[in-house]
Amino acid sequence: MEHKNIKRRDFLKATAITGAAALGGIAYKGLTNIGSVNAQSESITQVIKTNCRACIANCGVLVHVRNGRVIKLEGNPEYPMSRGALCAKGLSGIQALYHPNRNKYPMQRVGARGENKWKRISWNEALDITAQKLMETRDKYGAETVFASTGGGGNPQFPSIPRFCNAFGTPNWFEPGCAQCYLPRTVTFALMYGGQMGCQGSDTSIADSQCLEIYFPDDTPMKSLVMWGTAPSNNSPSGGGRALSDLRARGVRTVVVDPRLTADAAKADVWLPIRPGTDPALMLAWIRYIIEHKLYDEEFVMKWTNLPFLVDPESKMCLRKCSTVQCKDGEYLVWDQKTRSPQPMPFPWNDRIDPALEGSYEIDGRTCKTAFQLLKERAEPYTLEKAAEICWLDPAKIEEAIKIYADRPSGCSLGVATDQNPLSAQSAMGNAVLELIMGNVERPGSLLQRFVSPPQIADVPDLRGLLSYEQLLKRLGAIEHKGLLQWWAAQPTAVLDAIKTGKPYKPRVWIERSGNKLATLGNASEWAAAIGGLDFIVHMYMYPTSFSAYADILLPATEWLETDLPVISANMLFARQAVTHTYETMNETLFWSKLAKRCAALGHEGCQAACDPKRALGPAGPGGGDANQMVSFPYWDTEEEFLNLCVSGIGMTWKEFAAKAPIEFAPYGEWKRYYVYKQIDPKTGKPQGFSTASKKCEVYGDAFITLGRTGMPFSTYELPPASKDYDPLPNFEEPHESPTGPLAKDYPLVITSGRLPYYHHTTLRNIPYLRSIYPVPEIWINPVDAKKYGIAHQDWTWVESLRGKITARARITEGIAKGVVYMERFWNPETLNTPTHGWREMNINVLTKQDAPYNDVFGTYTLRGFLVRVSKASGPPKGVWYKPEDFKEWLPEPSDPTKQAEA
Ligand code: SF4
């Protein structure tokens, strides 16, 4: 196709205009989906509706395309969560698409591993080499020695990775987010609240596009909102950040619990700069205060939670029988104050029974307490003063914050911060307990909702039914940490340990797709040392990262502007549409399908089954889609075939869908439904309750005990028990590296990390526009500490932990408490071709811990809340760019649109 090359100056001009348009909130009414809107002198500009994927918020985008080249991006006001806004990450999409250092063609390593020397090969060769290696490895060492991973960045159709692994017969794939982000919250809310999985209201994370109530500020009675370990203005500026500013403008009071003064903390009514790693102590203090001052929702607690149930002191489970009573289905024992005896409480309630909420009762010679009593006792030590002492806070401020939260309707949103230390499950449980005892459930103004769920249009089934029981037992780390079973994933450190020790077996082949595993995994030096010993590594991504330097095959993935996929937002369905295509990049979904087909052709039975419409069957398991749907999802040959499968449930082809999108799947008024638990189930004639074993909110988490003992409800098979029972209530333990312990003598500062508005996970560090704004990672340090360690503003500093030493630039600020420092993850693509490969200079994950202690449920290790020391350095690391002019080399280069890659 002929086109006029855009000059760099023009590009920068377009970017600036786009930024202004987004800020000004220009309204584009009545646009056609793909239409010519602007006749230029000799060419036509089309405006195409698509969705950003520079982070996971999927904001609506209008892409201006001329002669196949993207010339401008702006926000699509139709998208209900971003309403026409686009953040800096989204606006940098053009620089990402036309980056001169894109992975353009499949490449094969020619030098020694780590030398970063490559030769171009065809897709056919790349797929053949990879499939051959996989099959050889399976035949020689077992399918479990092949493992895969995914992570932030790009446009993954997420279940593609576990789907391939299940078909191939390996139980081992992981994502740092399995143990370190996301799962602690989603599993906890699934087990305790029992919302509807896959519906955007089943937990309290704003960053994960839950909490839909906040996006309609004119239409919610919400009075207060707590943001605990989350900074929506950083993690999803155009969606969550925009919604919050609208809520604040309408008088919603906010509390922010965050060690650093983020934009959201700066605007909060109360900011609690908590010591990193102590969140459950503060949550227990909130619970104690709420119970003591009877601020909880008594009716909801009595009738819709399991807190009045009696607990068996031996099994630790809610009691369902004693010598005088045997409960029927749906019944649990309570202590009836009228008869002074244990009585079965039928679902949902029996007015003839007067259950005791608290207390201890003698039943069959044992002292049985109510679940509420156990919760109260657990929280008892955590007075405001005690929590203030542990968390380095002011008790009066804690009390002020609780009172704001108690002003209902309210909500408490939990972010990734608390998922990144070994108390991950405890923090998520603390958050769930707070929301549930406050009755912040499915009422107008609450975060937890079951609005009408969307049709299943984007997720392919993960084929977990194809993985045998024997192979599942070999999953690394998953018998001990069964929370990972919600995603059917392995624990990253267990994989690392197996590579290092060969026990219980040695993983040998790694297929990875993400922004830079050496910048996201804890203790990166350990990983870099270990991966040298692997037999074969494939890396697929849009551009090379530090990890690529260690790969054998490097594959070019499509950027989001080259990718199609259905997108769900609130009550609407959108179409992410490829607006162009460059070089030989391939959609990742197609890659996994082609690899499975290659393995099938080489005789792999599981892959053959996954390609056969009649055989791609198996028990679906929770989260795996239903078995009928799996029949209709055999592996595909083309992207269009895949996309047609995705939207088949709504009776359209992809082309029809994309032409019509956005589509409302439910009218707004009907979609936003409240109090679903009270709706009468026509089958039983009773309220439908919640999706838990008791159909009540299980504030006492005996489902955690069942999970640890059996793997249920997430496993397709009953598994051996973990070495100890999971705790059914939130708990606090002092962090392993504690400022109160002996290590503090040499490493006196507690470090935390946290998102910036310019980057998503470890992506986009190669974007000139973003690096000009934020060129190198800052270490935030309080003026008192800065003085003590002789550091001035903007000084280059060394930051050291027991595991390594890196460089950062000092930001002296009272936005971080004394004794605490903050630094975000980073890597330096500009030193990719040096011996450091960009991951060693300024990467906080050189400092983090990947070893024990782990969270028992999820295997979470310590990415935040460990100890470091800071000292003055003489200058920046060699080769690191930090002046705006340094980044010129990465400005977009002209590129003809190309045909889709074929293989
Ligand atoms: S918040 Fe920014 S990066 Fe994320 S989807 Fe929206 S525009 Fe893209």
Side-chain angles (χ1 to χ4, degrees), residues 249-277:
R250 282 157 181 79
V252 172
R253 290 194 295 163
T254 60
V255 171
V256 168
V257 183
D258 196 317
R260 72 183 159 135
L261 187 71
T262 59
D264 295 309
K267 295 197 169 92
D269 294 85
V270 175
W271 170 44
L272 297 178
I274 189 170
R275 168 161 69 99

PDB file of all heavy atoms in Angstrom, residues 249-277:
ATOM      1  N   ALA A 249     -15.709  14.985  43.646  1.00  0.00           N
ATOM      2  CA  ALA A 249     -16.381  16.247  43.312  1.00  0.00           C
ATOM      3  C   ALA A 249     -17.832  16.239  43.772  1.00  0.00           C
ATOM      4  O   ALA A 249     -18.422  17.287  44.031  1.00  0.00           O
ATOM      5  CB  ALA A 249     -16.310  16.486  41.808  1.00  0.00           C
ATOM      6  N   ARG A 250     -18.405  15.048  43.891  1.00  0.00           N
ATOM      7  CA  ARG A 250     -19.797  14.946  44.341  1.00  0.00           C
ATOM      8  C   ARG A 250     -19.904  14.727  45.847  1.00  0.00           C
ATOM      9  O   ARG A 250     -20.949  14.354  46.351  1.00  0.00           O
ATOM     10  CB  ARG A 250     -20.510  13.833  43.578  1.00  0.00           C
ATOM     11  CG  ARG A 250     -20.914  14.277  42.181  1.00  0.00           C
ATOM     12  CD  ARG A 250     -21.087  13.100  41.256  1.00  0.00           C
ATOM     13  NE  ARG A 250     -21.441  13.526  39.909  1.00  0.00           N
ATOM     14  CZ  ARG A 250     -20.565  14.000  39.028  1.00  0.00           C
ATOM     15  NH1 ARG A 250     -19.303  14.134  39.366  1.00  0.00           N
ATOM     16  NH2 ARG A 250     -20.953  14.366  37.821  1.00  0.00           N
ATOM     17  N   GLY A 251     -18.800  14.875  46.544  1.00  0.00           N
ATOM     18  CA  GLY A 251     -18.858  14.880  48.008  1.00  0.00           C
ATOM     19  C   GLY A 251     -18.540  13.563  48.681  1.00  0.00           C
ATOM     20  O   GLY A 251     -18.658  13.450  49.900  1.00  0.00           O
ATOM     21  N   VAL A 252     -18.164  12.530  47.916  1.00  0.00           N
ATOM     22  CA  VAL A 252     -17.799  11.261  48.551  1.00  0.00           C
ATOM     23  C   VAL A 252     -16.486  11.465  49.306  1.00  0.00           C
ATOM     24  O   VAL A 252     -15.505  11.963  48.748  1.00  0.00           O
ATOM     25  CB  VAL A 252     -17.643  10.146  47.487  1.00  0.00           C
ATOM     26  CG1 VAL A 252     -17.087   8.878  48.108  1.00  0.00           C
ATOM     27  CG2 VAL A 252     -18.988   9.870  46.820  1.00  0.00           C
ATOM     28  N   ARG A 253     -16.499  11.108  50.595  1.00  0.00           N
ATOM     29  CA  ARG A 253     -15.280  11.269  51.397  1.00  0.00           C
ATOM     30  C   ARG A 253     -14.395  10.036  51.216  1.00  0.00           C
ATOM     31  O   ARG A 253     -14.894   8.920  51.089  1.00  0.00           O
ATOM     32  CB  ARG A 253     -15.632  11.456  52.872  1.00  0.00           C
ATOM     33  CG  ARG A 253     -16.293  12.813  53.112  1.00  0.00           C
ATOM     34  CD  ARG A 253     -16.345  13.146  54.573  1.00  0.00           C
ATOM     35  NE  ARG A 253     -17.191  12.221  55.308  1.00  0.00           N
ATOM     36  CZ  ARG A 253     -17.164  12.084  56.630  1.00  0.00           C
ATOM     37  NH1 ARG A 253     -16.321  12.784  57.357  1.00  0.00           N
ATOM     38  NH2 ARG A 253     -17.983  11.247  57.232  1.00  0.00           N
ATOM     39  N   THR A 254     -13.094  10.259  51.213  1.00  0.00           N
ATOM     40  CA  THR A 254     -12.183   9.139  50.956  1.00  0.00           C
ATOM     41  C   THR A 254     -11.110   9.013  52.035  1.00  0.00           C
ATOM     42  O   THR A 254     -10.708   9.990  52.658  1.00  0.00           O
ATOM     43  CB  THR A 254     -11.481   9.271  49.584  1.00  0.00           C
ATOM     44  OG1 THR A 254     -10.731  10.476  49.559  1.00  0.00           O
ATOM     45  CG2 THR A 254     -12.469   9.255  48.441  1.00  0.00           C
ATOM     46  N   VAL A 255     -10.705   7.753  52.217  1.00  0.00           N
ATOM     47  CA  VAL A 255      -9.572   7.410  53.084  1.00  0.00           C
ATOM     48  C   VAL A 255      -8.587   6.660  52.215  1.00  0.00           C
ATOM     49  O   VAL A 255      -8.989   5.810  51.416  1.00  0.00           O
ATOM     50  CB  VAL A 255     -10.041   6.485  54.235  1.00  0.00           C
ATOM     51  CG1 VAL A 255      -8.843   5.942  55.017  1.00  0.00           C
ATOM     52  CG2 VAL A 255     -11.016   7.217  55.154  1.00  0.00           C
ATOM     53  N   VAL A 256      -7.306   6.968  52.341  1.00  0.00           N
ATOM     54  CA  VAL A 256      -6.288   6.218  51.602  1.00  0.00           C
ATOM     55  C   VAL A 256      -5.291   5.614  52.592  1.00  0.00           C
ATOM     56  O   VAL A 256      -4.755   6.319  53.447  1.00  0.00           O
ATOM     57  CB  VAL A 256      -5.563   7.108  50.575  1.00  0.00           C
ATOM     58  CG1 VAL A 256      -4.317   6.413  50.026  1.00  0.00           C
ATOM     59  CG2 VAL A 256      -6.506   7.466  49.425  1.00  0.00           C
ATOM     60  N   VAL A 257      -5.126   4.300  52.493  1.00  0.00           N
ATOM     61  CA  VAL A 257      -4.124   3.597  53.303  1.00  0.00           C
ATOM     62  C   VAL A 257      -2.996   3.236  52.346  1.00  0.00           C
ATOM     63  O   VAL A 257      -3.159   2.361  51.483  1.00  0.00           O
ATOM     64  CB  VAL A 257      -4.713   2.318  53.946  1.00  0.00           C
ATOM     65  CG1 VAL A 257      -3.682   1.650  54.845  1.00  0.00           C
ATOM     66  CG2 VAL A 257      -6.001   2.630  54.704  1.00  0.00           C
ATOM     67  N   ASP A 258      -1.884   3.929  52.445  1.00  0.00           N
ATOM     68  CA  ASP A 258      -0.797   3.752  51.471  1.00  0.00           C
ATOM     69  C   ASP A 258       0.462   4.371  52.070  1.00  0.00           C
ATOM     70  O   ASP A 258       0.403   5.500  52.563  1.00  0.00           O
ATOM     71  CB  ASP A 258      -1.168   4.476  50.154  1.00  0.00           C
ATOM     72  CG  ASP A 258      -0.304   4.026  48.999  1.00  0.00           C
ATOM     73  OD1 ASP A 258       0.927   3.880  49.188  1.00  0.00           O
ATOM     74  OD2 ASP A 258      -0.840   3.831  47.891  1.00  0.00           O
ATOM     75  N   PRO A 259       1.589   3.679  52.010  1.00  0.00           N
ATOM     76  CA  PRO A 259       2.798   4.277  52.590  1.00  0.00           C
ATOM     77  C   PRO A 259       3.226   5.566  51.902  1.00  0.00           C
ATOM     78  O   PRO A 259       3.922   6.380  52.483  1.00  0.00           O
ATOM     79  CB  PRO A 259       3.873   3.198  52.376  1.00  0.00           C
ATOM     80  CG  PRO A 259       3.126   1.929  52.160  1.00  0.00           C
ATOM     81  CD  PRO A 259       1.820   2.322  51.520  1.00  0.00           C
ATOM     82  N   ARG A 260       2.835   5.759  50.653  1.00  0.00           N
ATOM     83  CA  ARG A 260       3.292   6.979  49.969  1.00  0.00           C
ATOM     84  C   ARG A 260       2.123   7.899  49.644  1.00  0.00           C
ATOM     85  O   ARG A 260       0.977   7.456  49.485  1.00  0.00           O
ATOM     86  CB  ARG A 260       4.089   6.636  48.712  1.00  0.00           C
ATOM     87  CG  ARG A 260       3.257   6.112  47.605  1.00  0.00           C
ATOM     88  CD  ARG A 260       4.062   5.712  46.394  1.00  0.00           C
ATOM     89  NE  ARG A 260       3.252   4.792  45.613  1.00  0.00           N
ATOM     90  CZ  ARG A 260       3.109   4.844  44.301  1.00  0.00           C
ATOM     91  NH1 ARG A 260       3.744   5.754  43.605  1.00  0.00           N
ATOM     92  NH2 ARG A 260       2.341   3.993  43.681  1.00  0.00           N
ATOM     93  N   LEU A 261       2.464   9.176  49.530  1.00  0.00           N
ATOM     94  CA  LEU A 261       1.453  10.186  49.220  1.00  0.00           C
ATOM     95  C   LEU A 261       1.208  10.171  47.715  1.00  0.00           C
ATOM     96  O   LEU A 261       1.832  10.904  46.960  1.00  0.00           O
ATOM     97  CB  LEU A 261       1.938  11.567  49.674  1.00  0.00           C
ATOM     98  CG  LEU A 261       0.917  12.686  49.573  1.00  0.00           C
ATOM     99  CD1 LEU A 261      -0.174  12.543  50.622  1.00  0.00           C
ATOM    100  CD2 LEU A 261       1.580  14.044  49.704  1.00  0.00           C
ATOM    101  N   THR A 262       0.283   9.315  47.298  1.00  0.00           N
ATOM    102  CA  THR A 262      -0.085   9.259  45.878  1.00  0.00           C
ATOM    103  C   THR A 262      -1.041  10.417  45.577  1.00  0.00           C
ATOM    104  O   THR A 262      -1.485  11.120  46.498  1.00  0.00           O
ATOM    105  CB  THR A 262      -0.819   7.947  45.580  1.00  0.00           C
ATOM    106  OG1 THR A 262      -1.987   7.899  46.418  1.00  0.00           O
ATOM    107  CG2 THR A 262       0.061   6.741  45.855  1.00  0.00           C
ATOM    108  N   ALA A 263      -1.406  10.568  44.314  1.00  0.00           N
ATOM    109  CA  ALA A 263      -2.373  11.616  43.956  1.00  0.00           C
ATOM    110  C   ALA A 263      -3.685  11.390  44.703  1.00  0.00           C
ATOM    111  O   ALA A 263      -4.328  12.342  45.156  1.00  0.00           O
ATOM    112  CB  ALA A 263      -2.607  11.594  42.450  1.00  0.00           C
ATOM    113  N   ASP A 264      -4.084  10.138  44.863  1.00  0.00           N
ATOM    114  CA  ASP A 264      -5.335   9.862  45.579  1.00  0.00           C
ATOM    115  C   ASP A 264      -5.180  10.136  47.074  1.00  0.00           C
ATOM    116  O   ASP A 264      -6.116  10.608  47.718  1.00  0.00           O
ATOM    117  CB  ASP A 264      -5.766   8.409  45.336  1.00  0.00           C
ATOM    118  CG  ASP A 264      -6.109   8.175  43.876  1.00  0.00           C
ATOM    119  OD1 ASP A 264      -6.905   8.960  43.334  1.00  0.00           O
ATOM    120  OD2 ASP A 264      -5.547   7.248  43.275  1.00  0.00           O
ATOM    121  N   ALA A 265      -3.998   9.839  47.626  1.00  0.00           N
ATOM    122  CA  ALA A 265      -3.766  10.114  49.049  1.00  0.00           C
ATOM    123  C   ALA A 265      -3.775  11.616  49.309  1.00  0.00           C
ATOM    124  O   ALA A 265      -4.304  12.089  50.314  1.00  0.00           O
ATOM    125  CB  ALA A 265      -2.445   9.498  49.495  1.00  0.00           C
ATOM    126  N   ALA A 266      -3.200  12.375  48.366  1.00  0.00           N
ATOM    127  CA  ALA A 266      -3.121  13.822  48.546  1.00  0.00           C
ATOM    128  C   ALA A 266      -4.511  14.448  48.604  1.00  0.00           C
ATOM    129  O   ALA A 266      -4.707  15.495  49.231  1.00  0.00           O
ATOM    130  CB  ALA A 266      -2.316  14.435  47.403  1.00  0.00           C
ATOM    131  N   LYS A 267      -5.486  13.814  47.958  1.00  0.00           N
ATOM    132  CA  LYS A 267      -6.841  14.389  47.922  1.00  0.00           C
ATOM    133  C   LYS A 267      -7.770  13.730  48.942  1.00  0.00           C
ATOM    134  O   LYS A 267      -8.968  14.031  48.980  1.00  0.00           O
ATOM    135  CB  LYS A 267      -7.419  14.218  46.516  1.00  0.00           C
ATOM    136  CG  LYS A 267      -6.641  15.021  45.489  1.00  0.00           C
ATOM    137  CD  LYS A 267      -7.431  15.191  44.209  1.00  0.00           C
ATOM    138  CE  LYS A 267      -6.780  16.205  43.307  1.00  0.00           C
ATOM    139  NZ  LYS A 267      -5.855  15.649  42.347  1.00  0.00           N
ATOM    140  N   ALA A 268      -7.243  12.823  49.746  1.00  0.00           N
ATOM    141  CA  ALA A 268      -8.103  12.078  50.675  1.00  0.00           C
ATOM    142  C   ALA A 268      -8.455  12.920  51.905  1.00  0.00           C
ATOM    143  O   ALA A 268      -7.732  13.844  52.263  1.00  0.00           O
ATOM    144  CB  ALA A 268      -7.388  10.804  51.108  1.00  0.00           C
ATOM    145  N   ASP A 269      -9.562  12.561  52.539  1.00  0.00           N
ATOM    146  CA  ASP A 269      -9.917  13.201  53.807  1.00  0.00           C
ATOM    147  C   ASP A 269      -8.972  12.719  54.906  1.00  0.00           C
ATOM    148  O   ASP A 269      -8.632  13.468  55.812  1.00  0.00           O
ATOM    149  CB  ASP A 269     -11.375  12.873  54.155  1.00  0.00           C
ATOM    150  CG  ASP A 269     -12.325  13.506  53.158  1.00  0.00           C
ATOM    151  OD1 ASP A 269     -12.575  12.902  52.105  1.00  0.00           O
ATOM    152  OD2 ASP A 269     -12.777  14.634  53.406  1.00  0.00           O
ATOM    153  N   VAL A 270      -8.611  11.430  54.839  1.00  0.00           N
ATOM    154  CA  VAL A 270      -7.612  10.901  55.781  1.00  0.00           C
ATOM    155  C   VAL A 270      -6.631  10.041  54.990  1.00  0.00           C
ATOM    156  O   VAL A 270      -7.033   9.173  54.216  1.00  0.00           O
ATOM    157  CB  VAL A 270      -8.273  10.044  56.884  1.00  0.00           C
ATOM    158  CG1 VAL A 270      -7.202   9.415  57.779  1.00  0.00           C
ATOM    159  CG2 VAL A 270      -9.227  10.871  57.731  1.00  0.00           C
ATOM    160  N   TRP A 271      -5.350  10.315  55.199  1.00  0.00           N
ATOM    161  CA  TRP A 271      -4.291   9.472  54.610  1.00  0.00           C
ATOM    162  C   TRP A 271      -3.585   8.741  55.747  1.00  0.00           C
ATOM    163  O   TRP A 271      -3.123   9.372  56.700  1.00  0.00           O
ATOM    164  CB  TRP A 271      -3.304  10.347  53.834  1.00  0.00           C
ATOM    165  CG  TRP A 271      -2.054   9.608  53.397  1.00  0.00           C
ATOM    166  CD1 TRP A 271      -1.969   8.366  52.857  1.00  0.00           C
ATOM    167  CD2 TRP A 271      -0.702  10.092  53.492  1.00  0.00           C
ATOM    168  NE1 TRP A 271      -0.663   8.032  52.590  1.00  0.00           N
ATOM    169  CE2 TRP A 271       0.138   9.069  52.964  1.00  0.00           C
ATOM    170  CE3 TRP A 271      -0.108  11.272  53.951  1.00  0.00           C
ATOM    171  CZ2 TRP A 271       1.539   9.211  52.904  1.00  0.00           C
ATOM    172  CZ3 TRP A 271       1.276  11.412  53.886  1.00  0.00           C
ATOM    173  CH2 TRP A 271       2.078  10.389  53.362  1.00  0.00           C
ATOM    174  N   LEU A 272      -3.539   7.426  55.673  1.00  0.00           N
ATOM    175  CA  LEU A 272      -2.842   6.628  56.683  1.00  0.00           C
ATOM    176  C   LEU A 272      -1.582   6.037  56.034  1.00  0.00           C
ATOM    177  O   LEU A 272      -1.654   5.034  55.321  1.00  0.00           O
ATOM    178  CB  LEU A 272      -3.747   5.506  57.200  1.00  0.00           C
ATOM    179  CG  LEU A 272      -5.031   5.939  57.917  1.00  0.00           C
ATOM    180  CD1 LEU A 272      -5.856   4.711  58.324  1.00  0.00           C
ATOM    181  CD2 LEU A 272      -4.735   6.801  59.137  1.00  0.00           C
ATOM    182  N   PRO A 273      -0.414   6.657  56.290  1.00  0.00           N
ATOM    183  CA  PRO A 273       0.833   6.154  55.672  1.00  0.00           C
ATOM    184  C   PRO A 273       1.370   4.945  56.434  1.00  0.00           C
ATOM    185  O   PRO A 273       2.331   5.019  57.185  1.00  0.00           O
ATOM    186  CB  PRO A 273       1.769   7.359  55.763  1.00  0.00           C
ATOM    187  CG  PRO A 273       1.259   8.176  56.892  1.00  0.00           C
ATOM    188  CD  PRO A 273      -0.200   7.895  57.070  1.00  0.00           C
ATOM    189  N   ILE A 274       0.774   3.827  56.195  1.00  0.00           N
ATOM    190  CA  ILE A 274       1.031   2.599  56.948  1.00  0.00           C
ATOM    191  C   ILE A 274       2.445   2.053  56.702  1.00  0.00           C
ATOM    192  O   ILE A 274       2.975   2.181  55.597  1.00  0.00           O
ATOM    193  CB  ILE A 274      -0.036   1.546  56.560  1.00  0.00           C
ATOM    194  CG1 ILE A 274       0.026   0.327  57.458  1.00  0.00           C
ATOM    195  CG2 ILE A 274       0.095   1.154  55.089  1.00  0.00           C
ATOM    196  CD1 ILE A 274      -1.162  -0.618  57.262  1.00  0.00           C
ATOM    197  N   ARG A 275       3.018   1.435  57.722  1.00  0.00           N
ATOM    198  CA  ARG A 275       4.302   0.739  57.511  1.00  0.00           C
ATOM    199  C   ARG A 275       4.053  -0.446  56.583  1.00  0.00           C
ATOM    200  O   ARG A 275       3.152  -1.269  56.844  1.00  0.00           O
ATOM    201  CB  ARG A 275       4.866   0.248  58.849  1.00  0.00           C
ATOM    202  CG  ARG A 275       6.036  -0.729  58.660  1.00  0.00           C
ATOM    203  CD  ARG A 275       6.889  -0.868  59.897  1.00  0.00           C
ATOM    204  NE  ARG A 275       6.269  -1.535  60.999  1.00  0.00           N
ATOM    205  CZ  ARG A 275       6.458  -2.831  61.331  1.00  0.00           C
ATOM    206  NH1 ARG A 275       7.239  -3.617  60.597  1.00  0.00           N
ATOM    207  NH2 ARG A 275       5.868  -3.351  62.386  1.00  0.00           N
ATOM    208  N   PRO A 276       4.830  -0.569  55.490  1.00  0.00           N
ATOM    209  CA  PRO A 276       4.589  -1.678  54.543  1.00  0.00           C
ATOM    210  C   PRO A 276       4.639  -3.032  55.236  1.00  0.00           C
ATOM    211  O   PRO A 276       5.521  -3.290  56.064  1.00  0.00           O
ATOM    212  CB  PRO A 276       5.746  -1.535  53.544  1.00  0.00           C
ATOM    213  CG  PRO A 276       6.147  -0.100  53.621  1.00  0.00           C
ATOM    214  CD  PRO A 276       5.915   0.317  55.046  1.00  0.00           C
ATOM    215  N   GLY A 277       3.663  -3.866  54.907  1.00  0.00           N
ATOM    216  CA  GLY A 277       3.660  -5.245  55.412  1.00  0.00           C
ATOM    217  C   GLY A 277       2.890  -5.443  56.695  1.00  0.00           C
ATOM    218  O   GLY A 277       2.875  -6.545  57.249  1.00  0.00           O
TER     219      GLY A 277
END
